Amino acid sequence: MLYWALIFFILAIIAGVFGFTGIAAASASIAQILFFVFLAVFVVSLIAHLITGRRPPLT
């Protein structure tokens, strides 16, 4: 999900350079939403890890 946020951020920068303000604003808002969703999922998984205390299996 962070990958998609970065893609939309780069798309917003490129669109802003070429003067497509509508596309740049839309891409920037999508990137912002995806970033906050990624951040929320990260915090939830971090809290779940701290509560359960389980470690991933070593291979």
Side-chain angles (χ1 to χ4, degrees):
M1 193 167 307
L2 185 59
Y3 172 77
W4 285 107
L6 290 174
I7 292 296
F8 279 109
F9 175 69
I10 292 170
L11 183 65
I13 290 174
I14 292 171
V17 167
F18 289 120
F20 301 117
T21 56
I23 296 172
S27 296
S29 64
I30 291 171
Q32 185 178 14
I33 290 168
L34 288 176
F35 174 75
F36 285 121
V37 168
F38 169 77
L39 191 63
V41 170
F42 172 72
V43 169
V44 168
S45 66
L46 183 66
I47 292 171
H49 173 72
L50 291 175
I51 290 173
T52 59
R54 296 186 342 190
R55 297 190 183 272
L58 298 175
T59 58

